[in-house]
Amino acid sequence: DRPAAEDYAIIGCYEPVPVGSAHSWTVGGTVFLPRCLELALNEGICPETERRLSIETPPLGELRDFDSLFDAFLRHVSHAVSLVAKAGARFWAHAGTHPHRAFGSALRRDCVERGRDLSNGGALYNAACCCGIGLANVADGLAAIRQCVYGEGMTGLDDVYAAMRADFEGWETLQ
């Protein structure tokens, strides 16, 4: 309803929540976007552990244009978000089994009016969010790859990946 929508507070950096009516898991999950790009460049395999962390995507040699690279990146982001969503669903499914939150419950009018604890359905709204971390970094990286690899042809995607893995040590001209 409109009054509830207009009566909100900001939690954390930017998450609006209804005052006295919400149990929010504001940092319910984090997707590290640069890692999603790294996984797109390495077929979903973690370079440090050499274990599959995500879905399989094409090898570097098959990422012939920027759209195919960007598609692989988005597929890894989507996969990571789905994992966070599943973890959030498990969290909310077991929220009632957590220790009682008397103080937090006392601060929410819905919990007081319903006579229920925050962790057991007292709040009218239960919400979780997924935070995408490193957006500016991955945007810069994708823009550089688009321009240098697919636009101007200054270097190949395999060199970009090798430079990333070396933290650009020995690849200063590419950086």
Side-chain angles (χ1 to χ4, degrees):
D1 66 356
R2 187 177 179 121
E6 292 174 347
D7 187 17
Y8 69 91
I10 301 297
I11 293 179
C13 300
Y14 53 81
E15 299 91 353
V17 296
V19 173
S21 299
H23 179 202
S24 297
W25 190 30
T26 57
V27 187
T30 301
V31 173
F32 189 55
L33 298 170
R35 174 63 89 176
C36 293
L37 177 56
E38 186 175 50
L39 291 169
L41 294 171
N42 201 34
E43 304 174 51
I45 297 170
C46 173
E48 292 84 15
T49 65
E50 297 181 1
R51 294 178 58 210
R52 180 163 305 285
L53 287 186
S54 187
I55 57 172
E56 187 173 350
T57 47
L60 288 177
E62 293 180 23
L63 300 173
R64 301 195 198 297
D65 56 31
F66 182 77
D67 288 341
S68 62
L69 169 62
F70 193 65
D71 179 64
F73 165 71
L74 291 179
R75 290 179 58 208
H76 287 286
V77 171
S78 179
H79 178 72
V81 169
S82 73
L83 293 175
V84 168
K86 288 175 186 172
R90 284 191 302 272
F91 170 84
W92 289 112
H94 298 290
T97 63
H98 294 174
H100 295 293
R101 297 182 174 105
F103 183 71
S105 298
L107 297 176
R108 289 171 177 82
R109 80 175 152 262
D110 287 346
C111 293
V112 173
E113 289 172 3
R114 293 174 171 193
R116 297 183 81 176
D117 188 81
L118 181 62
S119 62
N120 197 18
L124 181 61
Y125 302 105
N126 294 300
C129 73
C130 177
C131 298
I133 305 297
L135 178 61
N137 298 71
V138 81
D140 287 347
L142 285 166
I145 290 170
R146 180 180 221 169
Q147 179 179 340
C148 296
V149 174
Y150 297 111
E152 299 173 12
M154 295 171 43
T155 190
L157 199 53
D158 53 341
D159 285 342
V160 170
Y161 185 68
M164 286 173 52
R165 295 301 321 134
D167 199 21
F168 288 89
E169 191 172 315
W171 296 87
E172 289 79 8
T173 56
L174 181 59
Q175 187 178 24

